[in-house]
Coordinates of all heavy atoms in Angstrom, one line a residue:
A1 N 1.4 12.5 6.9 CA 1.3 11.2 6.3 C 0.1 11.1 5.3 O 0.2 10.5 4.2 CB 1.3 10.1 7.4
I2 N -1.0 11.7 5.8 CA -2.2 11.6 4.9 C -2.0 12.4 3.6 O -2.4 12.0 2.6 CB -3.4 12.2 5.7 CG1 -3.8 11.2 6.9 CG2 -4.6 12.4 4.8 CD1 -4.7 11.8 7.9
R3 N -1.3 13.6 3.8 CA -1.1 14.4 2.6 C -0.1 13.7 1.6 O -0.3 13.8 0.4 CB -0.4 15.7 3.0 CG -1.4 16.8 3.5 CD -0.8 18.2 3.5 NE 0.5 18.2 4.2 CZ 0.7 18.4 5.5 NH1 -0.4 18.6 6.3 NH2 1.9 18.4 6.0
H4 N 0.8 12.9 2.1 CA 1.9 12.4 1.3 C 1.5 11.0 0.8 O 2.0 10.0 1.2 CB 3.2 12.3 2.1 CG 4.4 12.2 1.2 ND1 5.2 13.3 0.9 CD2 4.9 11.2 0.5 CE1 6.1 12.9 0.1 NE2 6.0 11.6 -0.2
N5 N 0.4 10.9 0.0 CA 0.0 9.6 -0.5 C 0.9 9.1 -1.6 O 1.4 9.8 -2.5 CB -1.4 9.8 -1.1 CG -2.1 8.5 -1.5 OD1 -1.7 7.8 -2.5 ND2 -3.0 8.0 -0.7
M6 N 1.2 7.8 -1.5 CA 2.3 7.2 -2.3 C 1.8 6.5 -3.6 O 2.6 6.0 -4.4 CB 3.1 6.2 -1.5 CG 3.6 6.6 -0.2 SD 4.9 7.9 -0.4 CE 6.2 6.9 -1.2
A7 N 0.5 6.5 -3.8 CA -0.1 5.6 -4.9 C 0.6 5.9 -6.2 O 0.8 4.9 -7.0 CB -1.6 5.9 -4.9
K8 N 0.8 7.1 -6.6 CA 1.3 7.5 -7.9 C 2.8 7.1 -8.1 O 3.3 7.2 -9.2 CB 1.1 8.9 -8.2 CG -0.4 9.3 -8.4 CD -0.6 10.7 -8.7 CE -2.1 11.1 -8.8 NZ -2.3 12.5 -8.9
D9 N 3.5 6.9 -7.0 CA 5.0 6.7 -7.1 C 5.4 5.2 -6.9 O 6.6 4.9 -7.2 CB 5.7 7.5 -6.0 CG 5.5 9.0 -6.3 OD1 5.7 9.4 -7.4 OD2 5.2 9.7 -5.3
L10 N 4.5 4.3 -6.5 CA 4.9 3.0 -6.1 C 5.5 2.2 -7.3 O 6.3 1.3 -7.2 CB 3.8 2.2 -5.4 CG 3.3 2.8 -4.1 CD1 2.2 2.0 -3.5 CD2 4.5 2.9 -3.1
Y11 N 5.0 2.5 -8.5 CA 5.5 1.8 -9.7 C 7.0 1.9 -9.9 O 7.6 1.1 -10.6 CB 4.7 2.2 -11.0 CG 5.1 3.5 -11.5 CD1 6.1 3.6 -12.5 CD2 4.6 4.7 -11.0 CE1 6.5 4.9 -13.0 CE2 5.0 6.0 -11.5 CZ 6.0 6.0 -12.5 OH 6.4 7.2 -13.0
K12 N 7.6 2.9 -9.3 CA 9.0 3.2 -9.5 C 9.9 2.3 -8.7 O 11.1 2.2 -8.8 CB 9.3 4.6 -9.2 CG 8.6 5.7 -10.0 CD 8.9 7.0 -9.5 CE 8.0 8.1 -10.1 NZ 8.1 9.4 -9.4
I13 N 9.3 1.6 -7.7 CA 10.0 0.7 -6.8 C 10.1 -0.7 -7.3 O 9.1 -1.4 -7.3 CB 9.4 0.7 -5.4 CG1 9.4 2.2 -4.8 CG2 10.1 -0.2 -4.4 CD1 8.7 2.3 -3.5
H14 N 11.3 -1.1 -7.8 CA 11.5 -2.4 -8.5 C 12.2 -3.4 -7.6 O 12.3 -4.5 -8.0 CB 12.2 -2.2 -9.8 CG 11.3 -1.4 -10.8 ND1 10.3 -2.0 -11.5 CD2 11.3 -0.1 -11.2 CE1 9.7 -1.1 -12.3 NE2 10.3 0.0 -12.1
I15 N 12.7 -3.0 -6.4 CA 13.4 -4.0 -5.6 C 12.3 -4.9 -5.0 O 11.1 -4.6 -5.0 CB 14.1 -3.3 -4.4 CG1 13.2 -2.4 -3.6 CG2 15.3 -2.5 -4.9 CD1 13.8 -1.9 -2.3
P16 N 12.7 -6.1 -4.5 CA 11.8 -7.0 -3.9 C 11.1 -6.4 -2.7 O 11.8 -5.8 -1.8 CB 12.6 -8.3 -3.5 CG 13.9 -8.1 -4.3 CD 14.1 -6.7 -4.6
V17 N 9.8 -6.6 -2.6 CA 9.1 -6.1 -1.4 C 8.2 -7.2 -0.8 O 7.5 -7.9 -1.6 CB 8.1 -4.9 -1.8 CG1 7.4 -4.4 -0.6 CG2 8.9 -3.8 -2.5
A18 N 8.3 -7.4 0.5 CA 7.4 -8.4 1.2 C 6.4 -7.6 2.0 O 6.8 -6.7 2.8 CB 8.2 -9.3 2.1
L19 N 5.1 -7.9 1.8 CA 4.0 -7.3 2.5 C 3.6 -8.4 3.5 O 3.1 -9.4 3.1 CB 2.9 -6.9 1.6 CG 3.3 -5.9 0.5 CD1 2.2 -5.9 -0.6 CD2 3.4 -4.5 1.1
I20 N 3.8 -8.1 4.8 CA 3.4 -9.1 5.8 C 2.3 -8.4 6.6 O 2.6 -7.5 7.4 CB 4.6 -9.5 6.7 CG1 5.7 -10.0 5.8 CG2 4.1 -10.6 7.7 CD1 7.0 -10.4 6.6
W21 N 1.0 -8.9 6.5 CA -0.1 -8.1 7.0 C -1.0 -8.9 7.9 O -1.3 -10.0 7.6 CB -0.9 -7.6 5.8 CG -1.3 -6.2 5.8 CD1 -2.4 -5.6 6.3 CD2 -0.5 -5.1 5.3 NE1 -2.4 -4.3 6.1 CE2 -1.2 -3.9 5.5 CE3 0.8 -5.0 4.8 CZ2 -0.8 -2.6 5.2 CZ3 1.3 -3.7 4.4 CH2 0.5 -2.6 4.6
G22 N -1.5 -8.2 8.9 CA -2.5 -8.8 9.8 C -3.9 -8.8 9.1 O -4.3 -7.8 8.6
K23 N -4.5 -10.0 9.0 CA -5.8 -10.1 8.4 C -6.9 -9.3 9.0 O -7.9 -8.9 8.5 CB -6.2 -11.6 8.4 CG -6.0 -12.4 7.1 CD -7.2 -12.1 6.1 CE -7.0 -12.7 4.8 NZ -7.2 -14.1 4.8
N24 N -6.6 -8.9 10.3 CA -7.6 -8.2 11.1 C -7.1 -6.8 11.5 O -7.6 -6.2 12.4 CB -7.9 -9.0 12.4 CG -8.2 -10.4 12.1 OD1 -7.3 -11.3 12.2 ND2 -9.4 -10.8 11.8
D25 N -6.3 -6.3 10.6 CA -5.8 -4.9 10.8 C -6.9 -3.9 10.6 O -7.5 -3.9 9.5 CB -4.6 -4.7 9.9 CG -3.9 -3.3 10.1 OD1 -4.4 -2.4 10.7 OD2 -2.7 -3.2 9.6
K26 N -7.2 -3.1 11.6 CA -8.3 -2.1 11.4 C -7.8 -0.7 11.1 O -8.5 0.2 10.8 CB -9.2 -2.1 12.7 CG -9.9 -3.4 13.0 CD -10.9 -3.3 14.1 CE -10.3 -3.2 15.5 NZ -9.8 -4.5 16.0
V27 N -6.4 -0.6 11.3 CA -5.8 0.7 11.1 C -5.4 0.9 9.6 O -5.8 1.9 8.9 CB -4.6 0.9 11.9 CG1 -3.9 2.3 11.7 CG2 -5.0 0.8 13.4
T28 N -4.7 -0.1 9.1 CA -4.5 -0.2 7.6 C -5.1 -1.5 7.1 O -4.4 -2.5 7.1 CB -3.0 -0.1 7.3 OG1 -2.3 -1.0 8.2 CG2 -2.4 1.3 7.5
P29 N -6.4 -1.5 6.8 CA -7.1 -2.8 6.6 C -6.5 -3.6 5.4 O -5.7 -3.1 4.6 CB -8.5 -2.3 6.3 CG -8.6 -0.9 6.8 CD -7.2 -0.3 6.7
P30 N -7.0 -4.9 5.3 CA -6.5 -5.8 4.2 C -6.5 -5.2 2.8 O -5.6 -5.4 2.0 CB -7.4 -7.0 4.4 CG -7.8 -7.0 5.8 CD -7.9 -5.6 6.2
E31 N -7.5 -4.3 2.5 CA -7.6 -3.8 1.2 C -6.4 -2.8 0.9 O -6.0 -2.6 -0.2 CB -8.9 -3.0 0.9 CG -9.2 -1.9 1.9 CD -10.1 -2.4 3.0 OE1 -10.1 -3.6 3.4 OE2 -10.9 -1.6 3.5
V32 N -5.8 -2.3 2.0 CA -4.6 -1.5 1.8 C -3.4 -2.4 1.3 O -2.7 -2.0 0.4 CB -4.2 -0.7 3.1 CG1 -2.9 0.0 3.0 CG2 -5.3 0.2 3.5

């Protein structure tokens, strides 16, 4: 999972995406 970083590919995803995030997430923090 760490090796397979998605940052360069996300622009290709054009379908609707909902991000529902815990404000206090310490594993994938808010900045993620």
Side-chain angles (χ1 to χ4, degrees):
I2 291 165
R3 281 196 307 272
H4 202 102
N5 188 285
M6 305 294 294
K8 291 178 182 174
D9 295 313
L10 296 180
Y11 75 93
K12 301 172 191 171
I13 297 175
H14 292 280
I15 57 171
V17 181
L19 302 160
I20 306 176
W21 227 266
K23 259 280 175 73
N24 311 93
D25 187 341
K26 298 188 287 280
V27 180
T28 47
E31 56 266 29
V32 175

